[in-house]
Amino acid sequence: MSITKTLLGRRDLADIISTVEFNHTGELLATGDKGGRVVIFQREPESKNAPHSQGEYDVYSTFQSHEPEFDYLKSLEIEEKINKIKWLPQQNAAHSLLSTNDKTIKLWKITERDKRPEGYNLKDEEGKLKDLSTVTSLQVPVLKPMDLMVEVSPRRIFANGHTYHINSISVNSDCETYMSADDLRINLWHLAITDRSFNIVDIKPANMEDLTEVITASEFHPHHCNLFVYSSSKGSLRLCDMRAAALCDKHSKLFEEPEDPSNRSFFSEIISSVSDVKFSHSGRYMLTRDYLTVKVWDLNMEARPIETYQVHDYLRSKLCSLYENDCIFDKFECAWNGSDSVIMTGAYNNFFRMFDRNTKRDVTLEASRESSKPRAVLKPRRVCVGGKRRRDDISVDSLDFTKKILHTAWHPAENIIAIAATNNLYIFQDKVNSDMH
Amino acid sequence: MLSKGLKRKREEEEEKEPLAVDAWWLDPGHASVAQAPPAVASSSLFDLSVLKLHHSLQQSEPNLRHLVLVVNTLRRIQASMAPAAALPPVPSPPAAPSVADNLLASSDAALSASMASLLEDLSHIEGLSQAPQPLADEGPPGRSIGGAAPSLGALDLLGPATGCLLDDGLEGLFEDIDTSMYDNELWAPASEGLKPGPEDGPGKEEAPELDEAELDYLMDVLVGTQALERPPGPGR
């Protein structure tokens, strides 16, 4: 079986992409960037007339979500970079999403206008008041179709909830609340209330001198509205139950893998720091990403992950150089496919990796302009670590560490993936060749 | 710094940092590093970590995760170096590695109490490693490289004991204030006659010669009037 990745869209965006997120149907794809902008792409319906245009993604709306701010009290600039976007489940014709920078979360409502009223009695077509003497009869204004206009408006601004930098937001399955997590605290908000939030996790020590661990990511369980998980810089995961106590400092479950003594180094802690955690769609598993691996955890087993996949183990001997140039602190995200059978994560040199949990096969692909022709078959890539080298292999020392794929997203139902490579967005679709079996 | 989609030729190696195999950076206890001189390696890694900590703290709002990871790594290195240098046991709670940074000077005198014990630790650590060479502009992009190399001779406290005082007393009043600024502030022990840091740092408003009595007085002032001293200077 060959993996054909057809390109459904590639955009050269103005700024470095900082987050990518499909909505719940996969019809919309939102990206946030370093300049505080949000760009939403919409999938065109597949047309029978043009079977080759297989539902490509086009720009639907662009808006400025966050602006740079200045905190006068501390003389600090607050970056406008969008850290995370999360879509709300759609409840009416409008779409809503939450976007956040380091300090402030905003709820945006996206509506379409494709009709406008015509035939006013008191105004003419340009909106100017009519001379009343010319009005001889009354008419009822009618709605006439117009060019589609997408309107975006900020509905709520959730500010002043966080002292430290927000790294995650997650909408609860109850569709009424959501949480936001910074380095030391997690807050619970109601989507309709902006002047109040509840602190549900606080790991700030009484004496900051004793600080040894920070929160790196957090997410609500997809089905149980009382459960959420948060990961730490020490590589542990804590599952918390909001029914147990108002302040969930005491975890219900602690997921932690004991350190492998044969792999111990000064950098053991840094590479064990979890950069992303995602519940499976089923809610039974969790996926975590640390510097060198992705791990699948069963919620019923705290002692160790049930599966571990090496993303780029060839970097294990280069940790000191990666520490020196700070690459070891890069935070990669991870993603499940719709059926929880394949997991994906990014790496360096614009490579991204996919692991099939059932067949245990994995593949390395590259998001680059060369591979971005519409019906190109993405060629699997290989990194060689010495020894026999095949023709198209890349040697470890030739990897470009400035080209990192930190943000990836998988369509909730189909085999469509969105890859953010610096300021380029690639959207690939997996098509199994019809003549293959 | 990031290329705008130019196809990178294989021959263009100058921008990439060649990654040598760093077997010797592994823990000295590791089997494969039997031949490597662990003391030298640890020392360079220690200096590198100190430099990183210095850069991190120079930022107006340090990345807490980066900071914590570097500090923890520094602790590990310190712990592995300690037996080699026959250090006396560090008094508990183990003070975080004290690093040269007098840019974010704190006026909170609560530090003075722990200062004395920490300075004692420093004098032991000083003997272990030389001052790091001033690195060429290899620092992480976006960070200002201070003029002076952080020599271990001028040591400050990574002691956010200050945070407690302000935090508890003013929590209700100033809920939205980020006390991490005060939590991570470092004290410039100018009274010890140590070398001051780069001139672009804030906090030079204090008289350089503060002694314990003045610190106590300052503490009373702070507690009594609840006057917040805002660290001056622009952001990054």
Side-chain angles (χ1 to χ4, degrees):
Chain A
M1 191 204 301
S2 74
I3 300 172
T4 306
K5 293 263 175 283
T6 55
L7 192 72
L8 293 187
R10 191 189 71 75
R11 286 293 180 283
D12 204 345
L13 298 178
D15 219 328
I16 296 172
I17 302 168
S18 49
T19 186
V20 185
E21 189 82 8
F22 280 100
N23 76 337
H24 295 275
T25 60
E27 183 209 351
L28 299 176
L29 174 67
T31 62
D33 70 22
K34 207 159 152 274
R37 266 176 309 270
V38 171
V39 180
I40 303 178
F41 298 85
Q42 183 187 43
R43 193 174 184 199
E44 298 307 317
E46 294 192 27
S47 156
K48 291 193 177 61
N49 298 336
H52 288 304
S53 114
Q54 36 218 328
E56 294 187 1
Y57 282 83
D58 286 324
V59 178
Y60 177 68
S61 171
T62 302
F63 61 94
Q64 188 74 32
S65 169
H66 287 70
E67 299 272 5
E69 280 172 47
F70 195 76
D71 182 333
Y72 294 96
L73 202 58
K74 287 176 279 183
S75 291
L76 290 176
E77 208 181 86
I78 300 171
E79 253 196 311
E80 68 274 30
K81 172 168 75 91
I82 307 295
N83 291 336
K84 280 284 172 343
I85 290 174
K86 284 281 146 77
W87 290 91
L88 267 57
Q90 194 178 7
Q91 286 171 332
N92 49 41
H95 295 278
S96 300
L97 59 78
L98 289 171
S99 68
T100 186
N101 67 350
D102 283 339
K103 298 283 186 177
T104 303
I105 307 132
K106 295 187 184 182
L107 174 66
W108 292 90
K109 193 163 173 189
I110 302 128
T111 48
E112 286 184 5
R113 191 195 291 272
D114 61 355
K115 296 187 205 16
R116 67 153 190 248
E118 277 180 23
Y120 284 103
N121 291 295
L122 299 176
K123 293 188 291 188
D124 65 16
E125 290 304 311
E126 281 126 47
K128 287 202 300 238
L129 285 174
K130 282 185 190 170
D131 182 357
L132 285 181
S133 59
T134 63
V135 179
T136 51
S137 63
L138 289 178
Q139 56 181 347
V140 178
V142 289
L143 290 175
K144 292 268 172 72
M146 60 178 256
D147 288 339
L148 179 67
M149 205 162 72
V150 179
E151 298 173 336
V152 181
S153 62
R155 292 302 219 187
R156 306 265 189 274
I157 297 182
F158 304 90
N160 300 320
H162 288 276
T163 299
Y164 304 100
H165 289 183
I166 297 174
N167 52 57
S168 319
I169 48 174
S170 177
V171 183
N172 201 342
S173 52
D174 66 7
C175 301
E176 282 186 359
T177 57
Y178 76 95
M179 69 153 138
S180 55
D182 66 29
D183 292 315
L184 298 179
R185 298 189 176 108
I186 303 181
N187 291 341
L188 182 71
W189 303 81
H190 191 284
L191 283 164
I193 300 169
T194 58
D195 62 354
R196 207 179 325 156
S197 76
F198 294 94
N199 178 241
I200 53 176
V201 173
D202 188 341
I203 65 166
K204 183 179 178 199
N207 189 350
M208 280 293 271
E209 224 171 33
D210 300 331
L211 181 67
T212 56
E213 198 173 7
V214 298
I215 297 169
T216 51
S218 76
E219 200 185 40
F220 267 120
H221 191 280
H223 311 311
H224 303 299
C225 57
N226 56 299
L227 290 180
F228 65 93
V229 67
Y230 71 90
S231 60
S232 83
S233 55
K234 285 199 168 171
S236 64
L237 300 168
R238 285 174 172 80
L239 187 74
C240 301
D241 187 336
M242 294 196 292
R243 297 172 305 188
L247 189 62
C248 300
D249 276 358
K250 194 167 173 321
H251 52 263
S252 293
K253 291 196 181 186
L254 173 64
F255 299 82
E256 210 168 21
E257 186 174 27
E259 202 179 343
D260 178 4
S262 66
N263 269 334
R264 204 169 182 277
S265 78
F266 289 132
F267 308 109
S268 292
E269 184 180 318
I270 300 181
I271 63 169
S272 74
S273 172
V274 173
S275 52
D276 194 16
V277 62
K278 294 261 166 54
F279 278 104
S280 64
H281 293 90
S282 63
R284 166 97 191 259
Y285 303 104
M286 292 183 296
L287 180 66
T288 59
R289 174 69 153 102
D290 51 61
Y291 192 61
L292 297 177
T293 69
V294 280
K295 295 178 170 146
V296 177
W297 301 78
D298 187 324
L299 280 188
N300 300 315
M301 187 162 85
E302 296 166 70
R304 75 191 73 83
I306 55 169
E307 292 155 32
T308 301
Y309 300 94
Q310 302 294 331
V311 180
H312 38 205
D313 200 53
Y314 44 78
L315 297 183
R316 197 178 287 275
S317 56
K318 317 230 178 273
L319 292 179
C320 186
S321 303
L322 294 164
Y323 178 65
E324 202 173 350
N325 64 17
D326 267 354
C327 281
I328 207 176
F329 298 103
D330 287 336
K331 294 180 69 171
F332 292 93
E333 291 170 10
C334 53
W336 296 92
N337 75 338
S339 59
D340 298 336
S341 59
V342 184
I343 54 190
M344 168 173 72
T345 190
Y348 293 108
N349 209 74
N350 278 351
F351 287 168
F352 59 98
R353 303 261 285 137
M354 288 185 182
F355 303 91
D356 189 319
R357 296 178 61 212
N358 299 324
T359 65
K360 299 300 178 200
R361 279 173 27 197
D362 62 84
V363 68
T364 303
L365 299 168
E366 183 178 359
S368 68
R369 287 177 183 231
E370 287 81 41
S371 63
S372 66
K373 297 171 190 51
R375 265 167 298 287
V377 177
L378 277 189
K379 202 174 49 180
R381 305 307 308 266
R382 223 174 75 106
V383 178
C384 75
V385 286
K388 235 160 85 160
R389 198 192 140 159
R390 289 185 226 156
R391 194 206 322 217
D392 287 322
D393 286 1
I394 306 257
S395 90
V396 190
D397 298 313
S398 309
L399 291 174
D400 188 343
F401 289 85
T402 62
K403 295 200 169 124
K404 33 194 125 188
I405 292 183
L406 303 173
H407 312 288
T408 58
W410 206 310
H411 189 287
E414 297 184 37
N415 275 347
I416 301 174
I417 54 176
I419 309 284
T422 316
N423 61 339
N424 288 319
L425 178 73
Y426 295 86
I427 307 171
F428 294 112
Q429 181 172 33
D430 198 7
K431 272 222 163 2
V432 179
N433 281 355
S434 52
D435 57 345
M436 290 286 180
H437 37 260
Chain B
M1 182 192 172
L2 296 162
S3 69
K4 300 277 279 182
L6 290 173
K7 181 166 180 174
R8 171 181 56 83
K9 293 192 170 60
R10 280 264 175 92
E11 304 82 50
E12 286 173 4
E13 299 273 341
E14 66 270 14
E15 288 195 328
K16 300 187 292 288
E17 298 179 15
L19 298 181
V21 175
D22 314 313
W24 63 70
W25 296 119
L26 293 173
D27 198 88
H30 195 272
S32 72
V33 281
Q35 306 93 328
V40 172
S42 298
S43 158
S44 307
L45 203 53
F46 183 88
D47 295 342
L48 174 63
S49 300
V50 164
L51 191 64
K52 281 197 173 301
L53 195 54
H54 177 78
H55 284 149
S56 190
L57 291 166
Q58 270 182 344
Q59 302 205 307
S60 41
E61 248 195 318
N63 180 332
L64 215 54
R65 172 182 167 262
H66 186 270
L67 198 63
V68 159
L69 288 174
V70 170
V71 163
N72 290 349
T73 304
L74 205 46
R75 282 193 178 123
R76 278 196 186 213
I77 300 165
Q78 220 177 0
S80 76
M81 285 160 78
L87 268 184
V90 178
S92 67
S98 309
V99 182
D101 191 328
N102 27 24
L103 295 184
L104 301 174
S106 164
S107 62
D108 192 327
L111 272 177
S112 61
S114 36
M115 227 180 85
S117 63
L118 273 163
L119 284 174
E120 227 177 291
D121 295 338
L122 301 179
S123 57
H124 299 304
I125 294 168
E126 265 183 59
L128 264 181
S129 125
Q130 317 107 327
Q133 319 295 333
L135 287 181
D137 217 10
E138 289 179 325
R143 298 194 187 172
S144 60
I145 311 254
S151 95
L152 285 176
L155 289 160
D156 285 337
L157 301 176
L158 182 59
T162 73
C164 299
L165 193 67
L166 299 170
D167 233 2
D168 298 341
L170 304 169
E171 199 79 86
L173 264 181
F174 301 100
E175 268 167 356
D176 60 337
I177 286 181
D178 178 3
T179 55
S180 63
M181 195 62 170
Y182 307 94
D183 294 343
N184 285 332
E185 276 175 352
L186 306 172
W187 175 254
S191 56
E192 299 295 321
L194 297 168
K195 181 174 174 290
E199 53 286 342
D200 58 330
K204 290 295 176 191
E205 62 203 29
E206 281 87 30
E209 262 76 45
L210 280 176
D211 58 9
E212 294 251 2
E214 289 195 22
L215 294 174
D216 286 342
Y217 169 70
L218 259 173
M219 195 161 104
D220 291 338
V221 165
L222 281 169
V223 174
T225 65
Q226 293 190 341
L228 258 187
E229 183 117 25
R230 178 161 66 89
R236 66 192 133 92

